[in-house]
Amino acid sequence: MALTLVIANKRYSSWSLRPWLVLSHFGIPFEEILIPLDQPDTRARILEHSPTGKVPCLIDGDVRVWESIAVIETIADWFPEHPVWPADKAARAHARAISAEMHSGFAALRQACPMNLGRDDRTFKDRGEGAAADVARIEAMWRETRARFGAGGPFLFGAFSAADAMYAPVVTRLDRYGWPVAADTQAYMDAVLSMPAMVAWTEAGRAEEWRAWADEVD
């Protein structure tokens, strides 16, 4: 199966990171098409591949799948030999629920702390009550999930799964903006940040020369 994943800048594109991380971690072969943001032809180039004008978009022949969570579900469907979702029924249901919550929620944190892998000043600044409430919810969610399902390893469900991919951009936000977190949160973040696939994405993002100035916030 010759897959292509259309993505945006690795420095900024949280939505692109999620399915890219799943494909890369599980060693599923694919080609990537990277279309930089904030260029005069960005939208036109994306529309050549994605009907929404947004990325990511997974392509297999005439099949087009957009929206990160739909792309991940499609990967799980097409490659059942890989544990994209936890095998246990209860864990899998929980993983899907928290992934959907990530997909639709935490707008205050997204706005206050855009994903920016090139951000090196980790001095924490107050980002507002809404962002703080989002972080509190995320920390509590991660803690509960790890307590219930994470005994087998350092990730939310022990082994890496789609749920970790969905929250990987949040991990980068908390890291790059120097957000003070609990020790167990930091341990989970360290596990995600040290994944070979995550390291590869981060290094590539930091090496990019394109800039999306709306995401270069103080």
Side-chain angles (χ1 to χ4, degrees):
M1 188 177 294
L3 300 180
T4 299
L5 186 68
V6 185
I7 62 174
N9 311 57
K10 292 179 179 177
R11 183 183 181 102
Y12 307 112
S13 186
S14 58
W15 296 107
S16 299
L17 167 59
R18 294 173 169 117
W20 190 97
L21 197 58
V22 171
L23 288 168
S24 297
H25 175 79
F26 289 112
I28 299 170
F30 71 101
E31 297 180 358
E32 70 176 55
I33 297 175
L34 194 158
I35 300 174
L37 300 170
D38 286 4
Q39 304 298 307
D41 61 347
T42 294
R43 181 167 174 79
R45 290 182 62 191
I46 293 175
L47 282 169
E48 294 175 4
H49 308 284
S50 171
T52 64
K54 298 179 180 179
V55 292
C57 184
L58 183 69
I59 302 172
D60 176 34
D62 293 334
V63 177
R64 300 286 190 276
V65 186
W66 55 96
E67 294 289 344
S68 288
I69 198 163
V71 174
I72 289 173
E73 288 284 15
T74 300
I75 295 167
D77 183 40
W78 287 353
F79 298 94
E81 68 273 23
H82 296 294
V84 174
W85 294 105
D88 176 76
K89 178 180 178 180
R92 188 166 63 253
H94 190 84
R96 284 195 163 104
I98 65 173
S99 295
E101 183 176 354
M102 178 67 254
H103 191 266
S104 63
F106 308 116
L109 179 62
R110 296 175 198 260
Q111 184 173 3
C113 302
M115 178 169 143
N116 182 354
L117 297 177
R119 192 177 192 281
D120 290 323
D121 181 4
R122 288 175 168 83
T123 303
F124 177 71
K125 297 180 181 179
D126 183 6
R127 301 287 168 177
E129 293 182 2
D134 282 351
V135 173
R137 166 59 188 155
I138 290 165
E139 284 204 83
M141 178 202 304
W142 288 352
R143 186 170 295 117
E144 176 196 5
T145 301
R146 290 274 305 137
R148 291 180 61 189
F149 303 110
F155 298 102
L156 292 175
F157 295 87
F160 175 84
S161 75
D164 301 295
M166 288 299 297
Y167 280 93
V170 169
V171 169
T172 72
R173 286 175 164 95
L174 298 181
D175 175 57
R176 292 288 164 177
Y177 289 84
W179 206 289
V181 296
D184 57 345
T185 299
Q186 187 63 57
Y188 170 65
M189 289 169 54
D190 290 344
V192 173
L193 292 169
S194 64
M195 293 173 56
M198 189 70 200
V199 170
W201 174 283
T202 300
E203 291 178 349
R206 290 179 60 80
E208 289 175 351
E209 296 182 357
W210 307 293
R211 293 293 177 268
W213 295 110
D215 293 331
E216 292 287 336
V217 303
D218 184 5

